[in-house]
Amino acid sequence: MKIEINLPTRLPFLMIEAPLPSGGEVISEDPRQNNLAENEADLEGDWGSFWWTHQDILDDKILFFVSSLPSGKSHTYSLVRMELPGELQVTPVQLEGMYSKNLRAYSSLDTVKVKD
């Protein structure tokens, strides 16, 4: 699962909620162990460290907490194993301000086809 955020300006104190598809299990909590990125800069961002300050992996979603996210593109990868075959709808990723109820953004709805 790849999460990409494109901001027009720097935003402070954000929470990003990335729901997992039904039947999806996160393989590793450390994205460096997933080996999905082409290079370390894809994981770390242009400024040299992970863009989130804390992440929680729950049964149905991954939460990222960010103290400051710079303008431009930021992305990360999570290795998710799908355990149920079928066509699944993926709930949109949600970005919201931790201390501002007026700051909220959503990704588009997507589908995933899982084959046996």
Side-chain angles (χ1 to χ4, degrees):
M1 179 170 74
K2 178 181 177 181
I3 300 167
E4 182 175 280
I5 299 169
N6 191 3
L7 296 177
T9 185
R10 184 192 71 80
L11 292 174
F13 303 109
L14 301 173
M15 181 178 74
I16 293 112
E17 180 179 313
L20 296 171
S22 181
E25 296 288 331
V26 176
I27 300 298
S28 171
E29 294 186 20
D30 184 357
R32 286 175 285 214
Q33 294 177 3
N34 293 336
N35 296 322
L36 292 178
E38 293 178 14
N39 58 52
E40 194 72 14
D42 285 343
L43 296 173
E44 295 180 348
D46 296 335
W47 50 96
S49 63
F50 291 110
W51 51 263
W52 67 89
T53 54
H54 180 76
Q55 90 178 20
D56 284 338
I57 297 178
L58 306 176
D59 289 338
D60 61 342
K61 61 189 160 192
I62 304 173
L63 297 170
F64 298 94
F65 299 93
V66 184
S67 58
S68 179
L69 194 58
S71 63
K73 289 185 181 180
S74 300
H75 56 272
T76 188
Y77 300 85
S78 296
L79 187 56
V80 177
R81 180 181 62 232
M82 300 304 297
E83 297 179 346
L84 301 172
E87 187 170 333
L88 309 166
Q89 287 191 342
V90 180
T91 306
V93 174
Q94 177 178 323
L95 178 146
E96 62 183 76
M98 287 192 279
Y99 305 110
S100 172
K101 62 183 177 180
N102 296 327
L103 180 59
R104 193 170 287 237
Y106 300 92
S107 69
S108 59
L109 186 65
D110 205 355
T111 59
V112 172
K113 291 181 185 178
V114 180
K115 296 182 181 181
D116 279 330

